Amino acid sequence: MLKKTERLSLVEQVVIQIEQLIESGHWQIGDQLPAEMQLMKEFDVSRNTLREAIRALVHAGLLETKQGSGTVVKSSSAFGVALHRQVEKSSIMETLEVRLALEREAAQLAAIRRNDHDLEAMTESIQLCKLASEKGNVQEFLQADIIFHKAIVKASHNKMLERLYEHITEPLQSSIVEIMVADAYFNYSEEIHYELLEAIKQQDVQAAISYVNTYINDFREKIKRIQED
Amino acid sequence: MLKKTERLSLVEQVVIQIEQLIESGHWQIGDQLPAEMQLMKEFDVSRNTLREAIRALVHAGLLETKQGSGTVVKSSSAFGVALHRQVEKSSIMETLEVRLALEREAAQLAAIRRNDHDLEAMTESIQLCKLASEKGNVQEFLQADIIFHKAIVKASHNKMLERLYEHITEPLQSSIVEIMVADAYFNYSEEIHYELLEAIKQQDVQAAISYVNTYINDFREKIKRIQED
DNA sequence: TTTAGAAAAGTTGTAGGATGATTGGACTTA
DNA sequence: TAAGTCCAATCATCCTACAACTTTTCTAAA
């Protein structure tokens, strides 16, 4: 069977090049792209071709154009943007349930696969939680809390799980911070973090799952109570 | 605070209209779109504007253009395409782990929230599995099996979970069918399906989770064994 | 000097035309 | 009937022109 030739269109070639320039960090988030006229010369294509490429990336959420001003990098992950939009169309409770599913799986896998480096990262992030808690800074605590949970997910050594968790948590967090700060409700029991860490360290799968359930259920109750007020 | 004006560009307006025409089913998958010249008149925009809109949707994976032939609808969900691409970049094992996470959560929620209609749908799909199994048709069995699991996910009454499961399972299935059929390995123990259904019927959360674990672990072992050959 | 406003320069948005490349079907011919 | 040719339809790319908007620069008045 012959492989199909399938020549890429000029537009698609330019799209790929721009995507790579963003992904590689050559153009970072917030950076302004060169003007159309210059990009035309650099890619050696006509204005139409260039504009079609840019428009595709604008719709994908990687770029943003403003008439008269220019084009800036808005995101580095099309998948992240797609997931972000999906989360925004869903309720907080729905998203929390999905997050619980991922977190439970992550804890289980982490208990099996974690290495020393993973344990170290988790320990460090718990310190950050404790610090923020002592200062009474809600926003900072939630941020440190996310870092702890991301460390667990990373310890699962499943890249897909990691990406899903990352991009589902990100938009969810902003809603949560909003609610939490507005309510000024805040109490932190650090035991749960230590116990979860210990379970993963001891490779006790059942205990790890159990602590995640406890943690998320507490969290859910908290959110529900606040939302009902 | 005044609300921001933010006029949508013509291109974005056309994009939205086309997206809605696809989502509403007015243009179905496989359908051919009218030619550029006609769409220009219908949307009352210039050729450039129309082409930029179409190009954005081509890159999103909703449309596909072929020079000399025309433009056809390729998918109805940009989110599905994005997830599809992500799954393709991951290994089967990674994807199976994510699927397990979603399935476990779904079974748990289904055990709590299932209604009579959900139970009926699940029962019907088990019949299909049994039928295909008796015929010894691997492909048909796997298809019916997917329907059963989708019924569980639907019974969780969490739309986001449903969408995620749908679009992760779809590309995964084709790989699985390929492996299974090539290997000609096939044995079906129908007990597990009935037991899982019964647990959900009786709203026994723990039992439901347990059966899902059993099911997926069996499945994983099977895949692993085949891949190692 | 400061500052408000006008002018200019730069950038993206939209329009329309022209030509090339590819495809699929109609037509022709053996 | 079947193979090959031709033609019309369609998308791909390029070009020029002008409109709309933003930022910077310049100007003139307080």
Side-chain angles (χ1 to χ4, degrees):
Chain A
M1 179 161 166
L2 299 172
K3 76 174 173 185
K4 52 183 169 184
T5 55
E6 186 181 328
R7 282 173 39 206
L8 283 176
S9 70
L10 274 184
V11 175
E12 208 56 37
Q13 288 180 46
V14 173
V15 166
I16 290 172
Q17 286 191 69
I18 295 178
E19 277 177 337
Q20 285 177 344
L21 282 168
I22 293 174
E23 200 170 345
S24 71
H26 185 262
W27 288 336
Q28 304 210 338
I29 293 178
D31 283 2
Q32 177 135 5
L33 265 62
E36 285 178 352
M37 204 63 79
Q38 189 175 340
L39 288 175
M40 282 167 61
K41 292 182 206 154
E42 292 187 10
F43 289 121
D44 191 31
V45 294
S46 73
R47 183 152 180 240
N48 282 353
T49 302
L50 176 72
R51 280 185 58 83
E52 284 183 25
I54 287 178
R55 179 66 64 183
L57 293 173
V58 166
H59 186 254
L62 292 193
L63 299 179
E64 191 176 65
T65 59
K66 247 188 357 191
Q67 188 176 176
S69 174
T71 305
V72 299
V73 180
K74 201 72 192 302
S75 166
S76 61
S77 159
F79 179 61
V81 173
L83 213 42
H84 197 294
R85 286 177 183 157
Q86 202 63 29
V87 170
E88 277 177 348
K89 286 201 292 184
S90 309
S91 70
I92 291 186
M93 276 302 155
E94 274 190 334
T95 310
L96 271 177
E97 282 166 6
V98 172
R99 181 184 152 188
L100 169 56
L102 301 179
E103 198 128 12
R104 219 174 358 207
E105 179 74 12
Q108 178 169 349
L109 292 174
I112 298 170
R113 300 176 184 164
R114 90 286 180 287
N115 57 35
D116 292 346
H117 182 267
D118 296 326
L119 292 173
E120 200 176 319
M122 290 165 65
T123 307
E124 271 177 28
S125 54
I126 288 187
Q127 307 295 338
L128 290 178
C129 285
K130 199 175 166 190
L131 225 70
S133 170
E134 284 167 357
K135 286 199 291 184
N137 188 331
V138 181
Q139 203 150 347
E140 194 178 316
F141 169 76
L142 285 171
Q143 207 161 349
D145 188 53
I146 292 287
I147 293 175
F148 173 65
H149 287 274
K150 277 188 185 168
I152 294 178
V153 175
K154 196 175 180 66
S156 76
H157 294 275
N158 180 325
K159 286 285 179 199
M160 188 176 173
L161 197 60
E162 208 175 317
R163 272 192 286 265
L164 269 174
Y165 186 81
E166 162 102 23
H167 294 128
I168 283 178
T169 305
E170 187 181 297
L172 183 63
Q173 194 191 11
S174 52
S175 314
I176 290 173
V177 167
E178 208 172 290
I179 291 173
M180 289 289 214
V181 171
D183 188 75
Y185 177 78
F186 179 51
N187 74 335
Y188 168 53
S189 57
E190 55 180 314
E191 294 81 24
I192 189 77
H193 276 175
Y194 280 114
E195 284 165 348
L196 177 51
L197 171 56
E198 193 59 26
I200 291 176
K201 201 182 226 167
Q202 301 300 326
Q203 305 200 294
D204 185 339
V205 172
Q206 286 309 316
I209 292 178
S210 164
Y211 286 128
V212 167
N213 281 334
T214 306
Y215 175 87
I216 296 265
N217 279 332
D218 282 0
F219 201 83
R220 178 154 48 189
E221 285 305 315
K222 208 176 283 183
I223 296 283
K224 199 188 284 181
R225 206 172 335 128
I226 293 175
Q227 280 190 323
E228 279 169 359
D229 288 347
Chain B
M1 180 159 169
L2 298 172
K3 76 174 172 184
K4 53 183 170 185
T5 54
E6 185 180 330
R7 280 172 40 204
L8 282 176
S9 70
L10 274 183
V11 175
E12 207 57 36
Q13 289 179 45
V14 173
V15 166
I16 289 172
Q17 286 192 68
I18 295 178
E19 277 177 337
Q20 286 177 345
L21 283 168
I22 292 174
E23 199 170 346
S24 73
H26 184 263
W27 288 337
Q28 303 209 340
I29 293 178
D31 283 1
Q32 177 135 6
L33 264 63
E36 284 179 352
M37 204 62 80
Q38 190 175 339
L39 287 176
M40 282 168 59
K41 291 182 205 153
E42 291 187 11
F43 288 121
D44 191 30
V45 294
S46 75
R47 177 184 217 81
N48 285 348
T49 301
L50 176 72
R51 281 186 58 81
E52 284 183 24
I54 286 178
R55 178 66 62 180
L57 293 172
V58 166
H59 187 254
L62 292 193
L63 300 179
E64 191 176 65
T65 59
K66 239 182 13 183
Q67 191 176 173
S69 174
T71 305
V72 299
V73 180
K74 202 72 192 302
S75 167
S76 61
S77 160
F79 179 61
V81 174
L83 213 42
H84 198 294
R85 286 175 183 160
Q86 201 63 31
V87 170
E88 277 175 349
K89 286 201 291 183
S90 310
S91 71
I92 291 186
M93 276 303 155
E94 275 191 334
T95 310
L96 270 176
E97 281 166 8
V98 171
R99 180 184 152 188
L100 168 57
L102 300 178
E103 198 129 9
R104 212 165 14 196
E105 180 74 13
Q108 179 170 350
L109 292 174
I112 298 169
R113 299 177 185 163
R114 92 286 182 284
N115 58 33
D116 292 346
H117 182 268
D118 296 326
L119 292 173
E120 200 175 319
M122 290 164 64
T123 308
E124 272 178 28
S125 54
I126 287 186
Q127 308 294 339
L128 291 179
C129 285
K130 200 175 165 187
L131 226 71
S133 170
E134 285 165 359
K135 285 198 290 184
N137 187 331
V138 181
Q139 203 151 348
E140 193 176 316
F141 169 77
L142 285 171
Q143 206 161 349
D145 188 53
I146 292 288
I147 292 175
F148 173 66
H149 287 274
K150 276 189 186 168
I152 294 178
V153 175
K154 196 175 178 66
S156 75
H157 293 276
N158 180 325
K159 286 286 177 197
M160 189 178 173
L161 197 59
E162 208 176 316
R163 271 192 287 263
L164 270 174
Y165 186 81
E166 162 102 23
H167 294 127
I168 283 178
T169 305
E170 187 180 297
L172 182 63
Q173 194 192 9
S174 51
S175 315
I176 290 174
V177 167
E178 208 172 291
I179 290 174
M180 290 287 213
V181 172
D183 187 75
Y185 178 79
F186 179 51
N187 75 334
Y188 169 53
S189 58
E190 56 181 313
E191 295 82 24
I192 188 78
H193 275 175
Y194 279 115
E195 283 165 347
L196 177 52
L197 171 56
E198 191 60 26
I200 291 176
K201 200 183 228 168
Q202 299 300 330
Q203 304 200 295
D204 186 339
V205 173
Q206 286 310 315
I209 292 178
S210 164
Y211 286 127
V212 167
N213 282 333
T214 305
Y215 175 86
I216 296 265
N217 279 332
D218 282 0
F219 201 83
R220 178 153 49 187
E221 286 305 313
K222 207 175 286 182
I223 297 282
K224 200 188 285 182
R225 206 173 333 128
I226 293 173
Q227 280 191 324
E228 279 170 359
D229 288 347

